[in-house]
């Protein structure tokens, strides 16, 4: 409506228009959201919805592949991956949140005779406080560095700021998965050893986690490691080699075992450890204040200033939805924790 062209309108032209100058904070905010991958994630969601087709008068319509691939080619897969690790994001009213803590200590079904009193189990209920953190950063840019550039070009700088913010939230999420959300690490993930410390993490160690997760009703679809453990993971023989398109053992396994389908790299994982987690039960994001961008100018120094902040945190929902494999210790001496036992047999 204002006749602005992001590729032609300069920042100086924008500030010269009294009706349009207030849009600068939104332009910066959009650049940061692009850098965090939020804009492209939303675009991918809309594309998937369109590809699924809509029924109108009996006609099913699909989005063309070219339209869907366009956001992919423009970097829809971003380095910001923390939204993939969480169950959902919950908006909360304050920076300290009291969450329920439920443990199914003895809820297994028991045999019961006709007209007999049904035996009661116990469900332990409690609560825990989760403190959210406010993350913020200010950026100062001189008039000369930004005012004479187009809006789209100026946005590229703030996209990098968004990527940095995204990396920070990645680290917070991974840290919560590994160490839990309590300062006493009472909800940290279980750390188990490997079959042979000389061989590091092997297919057998991954299968051990898959079997235990299946007994717990967890789906370990994600693996998280640092540069070393991620490299070791992708070079496993079982991942690289194909045996004429067939498995070595044609076994009909009735208890489904889920191996990780997604691999994420994070510096929060130490050593050569590998984290396996179920994203449907492990973590939730709690946001007290969403992404906020404020802009101002320092006239005496001819500097444009933007301050970005967000108040958010991550809370553990189920402790047994994540496991850490440590290749430096043997499983025989460092096996499953008691709270990783299956609910029932």
């Amino acid at each position: 409506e204002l006749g602005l062209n992001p590729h032609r309108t300069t920042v100086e032209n924008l500030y010269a228009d009294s009706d349009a100058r207030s849009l600068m904070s939104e332009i910066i905010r959009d650049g940061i959201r692009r850098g965090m991958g939020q804009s492209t994630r939303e675009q991918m969601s809309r594309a998937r919805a369109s590809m699924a087709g809509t029924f109108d008068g009996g006609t099913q319509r699909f989005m063309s592949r070219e339209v869907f691939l366009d956001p992919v080619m423009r970097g829809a897969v971003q380095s910001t991956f923390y939204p993939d690790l969480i169950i959902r994001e919950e908006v909360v009213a304050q920076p300290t949140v009291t969450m329920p803590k439920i443990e199914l200590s003895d809820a297994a079904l028991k045999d019961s005779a006709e007209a007999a009193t049904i035996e009661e189990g116990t469900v332990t209920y409690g609560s825990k406080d989760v403190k959210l953190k406010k993350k913020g950063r200010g950026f100062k840019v001189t008039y000369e560095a930004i005012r004479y550039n187009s809006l789209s070009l100026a946005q590229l700088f703030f996209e990098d700021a968004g990527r940095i913010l995204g990396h920070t939230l990645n680290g917070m999420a991974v840290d919560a998965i590994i160490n839990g959300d309590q300062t006493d690490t009472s909800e940290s993930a279980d750390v188990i050893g490997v079959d042979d410390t000389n061989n590091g993490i092997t297919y057998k160690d991954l299968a051990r986690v898959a079997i235990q997760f299946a007994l717990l009703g967890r789906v370990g679809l994600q693996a998280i490691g640092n540069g070393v453990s991620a490299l070791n993971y992708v070079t496993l023989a079982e991942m690289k080699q194909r045996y004429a398109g067939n498995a070595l053992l044609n076994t009909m396994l009735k208890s489904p075992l889920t191996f990780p389908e997604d691999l994420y790299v994070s510096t929060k994982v130490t050593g050569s450890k590998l984290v396996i987690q179920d994203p449907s039960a492990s973590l939730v994001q709690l946001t007290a204040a969403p992404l906020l961008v404020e802009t101002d100018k320092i006239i005496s120094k001819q500097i444009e200033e933007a301050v970005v902040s967000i108040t958010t945190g991550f809370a553990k929902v189920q402790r047994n939805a994540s496991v850490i494999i440590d290749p430096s210790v043997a499983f025989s001496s460092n096996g499953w924790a008691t709270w990783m036992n299956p609910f029932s047999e």
Side-chain angles (χ1 to χ4, degrees):
E1 294 178 358
L2 296 172
L4 301 177
N5 185 330
H7 300 288
R8 296 181 180 273
T9 303
T10 64
V11 177
E12 184 179 34
N13 297 146
L14 186 70
Y15 275 115
D17 190 333
S18 59
D19 293 328
R21 64 179 60 178
S22 59
L23 291 176
M24 190 61 194
S25 60
E26 288 302 315
I27 292 172
I28 294 174
R29 181 175 181 273
D30 184 59
I32 292 173
R33 293 182 79 253
R34 287 185 184 181
M36 293 178 67
Q38 291 182 354
S39 296
T40 45
R41 283 175 183 275
E42 293 170 1
Q43 190 172 1
M44 289 286 287
S45 297
R46 291 193 295 268
R48 292 191 184 100
S50 298
M51 286 190 70
T54 57
F55 289 91
D56 183 11
T59 302
Q60 188 175 18
R61 297 174 298 179
F62 292 90
M63 174 178 282
S64 68
R65 290 183 177 180
E66 288 73 18
V67 176
F68 177 72
L69 290 176
D70 181 61
V72 178
M73 296 301 294
R74 288 189 286 111
V77 181
Q78 298 284 338
S79 58
T80 301
F81 58 77
Y82 74 89
D84 295 337
L85 306 180
I86 62 175
I87 304 170
R88 65 173 65 91
E89 179 181 7
E90 295 286 345
V91 178
V92 295
Q94 54 190 4
T96 299
V97 180
T98 300
M99 284 187 59
K101 184 178 180 181
I102 302 175
E103 294 182 4
L104 301 176
S105 54
D106 184 20
L109 297 178
K110 301 290 185 179
D111 292 335
S112 179
E114 184 178 354
T117 301
I118 297 177
E119 183 179 346
E120 295 182 348
T122 58
V123 177
T124 304
Y125 175 83
S127 63
K128 61 178 180 177
D129 289 337
V130 180
K131 294 184 178 180
L132 311 185
K133 296 180 180 178
K134 182 176 182 179
K135 295 289 185 180
R137 190 64 186 268
F139 305 93
K140 294 181 179 179
V141 187
T142 62
Y143 282 9
E144 290 77 11
I146 193 173
R147 289 184 73 92
Y148 307 114
N149 292 301
S150 66
L151 298 177
S152 60
L153 188 59
Q155 256 188 346
L156 295 178
F157 169 81
F158 295 102
E159 285 186 19
D160 279 336
R163 292 187 182 95
I164 294 172
L165 178 59
H167 275 296
T168 301
L169 296 177
N170 286 348
M172 291 173 61
V174 175
D175 187 62
I177 292 171
I178 296 173
N179 299 312
D181 51 40
Q182 302 297 298
T183 55
D184 60 359
T185 65
S186 59
E187 293 205 352
S188 59
D190 188 17
V191 180
I192 63 171
V194 295
D195 191 60
D196 189 340
T197 56
N198 294 322
N199 296 330
I201 299 175
T202 63
Y203 183 83
K204 183 176 181 179
D205 301 306
L206 298 173
R208 180 183 291 114
V209 175
I211 292 171
Q212 194 73 6
F213 266 16
L215 293 172
L216 288 168
R218 302 299 178 211
V219 186
L221 294 177
Q222 296 177 333
I224 310 170
N226 58 21
V228 175
S229 53
L231 181 61
N232 293 337
Y233 184 84
V234 298
T235 54
L236 286 171
E238 290 78 9
M239 177 172 288
K240 295 188 301 179
Q241 298 177 8
R242 297 292 183 269
Y243 305 94
N246 297 317
L248 293 178
L249 295 174
N250 295 317
T251 304
M252 181 72 70
L253 189 62
K254 296 299 184 180
S255 298
L257 305 183
T258 54
F259 287 82
E261 298 176 353
D262 301 316
L263 175 63
Y264 301 90
V265 181
S266 172
T267 56
K268 290 292 184 178
V269 183
T270 59
S272 298
K273 299 173 185 175
L274 192 69
V275 182
I276 311 295
Q277 82 136 7
D278 179 355
S280 69
S282 178
L283 211 62
V284 66
Q285 182 181 6
L286 305 173
T287 301
L291 182 65
L292 175 65
V293 179
E294 299 171 284
T295 60
D296 201 356
K297 63 176 64 178
I298 304 175
I299 300 176
S300 61
K301 294 184 178 181
Q302 293 190 323
I303 290 177
E304 301 288 349
E305 183 179 33
V307 177
V308 182
S309 64
I310 185 172
T311 303
T312 190
F314 299 89
K316 264 292 184 72
V317 177
Q318 296 291 346
R319 189 181 184 187
N320 63 5
S322 58
V323 173
I324 302 171
I325 306 177
D326 187 348
S328 65
V329 296
F331 182 79
S332 57
S333 60
N334 208 86
W336 299 110
T338 55
W339 45 265
M340 284 294 295
N341 292 331
F343 295 129
S344 61
E345 289 292 348

